[in-house]
Amino acid sequence: MLEVKNLCKHYGGIKAVDGATFAVERGSITALIGPNGAGKTTAFNCISRTVTPTSGEVWLDGERIDQLRPHKITAKGLSRTFQISRNLSDMTVIENVIVQSRVEGIRGLLRPAMSAEERDKAMAILDFLGITRIAYEDGHNLSYGQKKLMDLAALLMSDPKIILLDEPAGGVNPTLMEEIIGHIRALNEKKGLTVLIVEHNMELIMRLSHRVVVMAQGRVICDGPPEMVRKDPQVLDAYLGGVLEEEAA
């Protein structure tokens, strides 16, 4: 579904992403991992066009999208979250979710701010995620974990076919982490969403992912099933060695 070809993002002499190439199969949960500074989030930003790539190509369902504006990419079916929640704190949860709805032309701008159809759709998404109880809570009153769930709900309002999740379980407690894992798995298995995920929690990645892409110094150094990646010498050297030694101990 998603193809990244020789993607580069340079900041002066710094090569944050340096010729990264990988693909995400339709219906899969693919993880993008690597040490800090590997270029994972920058690659996400280039794919979603929140930053402009220096060079390279990004294709979605056979259509090149790296030259499109971010809202056009969202309209094509690709949506993403960010490491830090970008919610509007002076709006309620349901308003934060509905604001992500697609606007289709001038007529869409002339509609009521919150239509009954949008409200029903948003409540159905909040119900799926088990957070209808906070639907009318102001954004600034939410816990960190609740903001993560609200971001996930907002992501789903645009009816994506592929979602990019940037550390969805980062900083949350173990109970909520299990809940988020369950939601991601359900979105993939029951709703057919393709998922590309950046996450530092290796235990989560190995349990959840069908495929793992490993980046280091802006480049892809390994790409394959989780068990193969765990044993790859380059990966052990660049990133996973300490984690695997700790698990063994």
Side-chain angles (χ1 to χ4, degrees), residues 83-159:
Q83 287 182 20
I84 300 173
S85 178
R86 296 191 172 190
N87 69 88
L88 302 170
S89 60
D90 59 342
M91 295 172 62
T92 64
V93 169
I94 194 168
E95 287 170 339
N96 269 284
V97 172
I98 287 176
V99 81
Q100 301 293 329
S101 297
R102 291 184 181 182
V103 176
E104 298 178 355
I106 295 297
R107 290 183 180 179
L109 295 174
L110 298 177
R111 294 183 306 176
M114 188 187 300
S115 69
E117 181 182 355
E118 287 174 327
R119 187 183 296 107
D120 290 345
K121 180 179 178 180
M123 288 301 291
I125 292 171
L126 295 176
D127 183 57
F128 171 77
L129 296 175
I131 53 173
T132 52
R133 66 189 182 280
I134 63 169
Y136 295 97
E137 193 71 52
D138 287 341
H140 60 77
N141 292 332
L142 302 183
S143 68
Y144 186 76
Q146 288 172 330
K147 289 179 180 178
K148 289 279 189 180
L149 291 172
M150 181 180 67
D151 289 345
L152 185 56
L155 185 78
L156 300 176
M157 275 299 287
S158 62
D159 297 318

Side-chain angles (χ1 to χ4, degrees), residues 216-230:
Q217 298 181 331
R219 299 181 178 183
V220 174
I221 62 169
C222 187
D223 183 349
E227 286 307 313
M228 185 203 84
V229 168
R230 288 174 68 99

Side-chain angles (χ1 to χ4, degrees), residues 158-179:
S158 62
D159 297 318
K161 53 189 175 184
I162 179 170
I163 55 176
L164 279 58
L165 306 177
D166 199 349
E167 296 194 33
V172 304
N173 63 59
T175 300
L176 184 55
M177 186 187 79
E178 290 299 322
E179 187 177 335

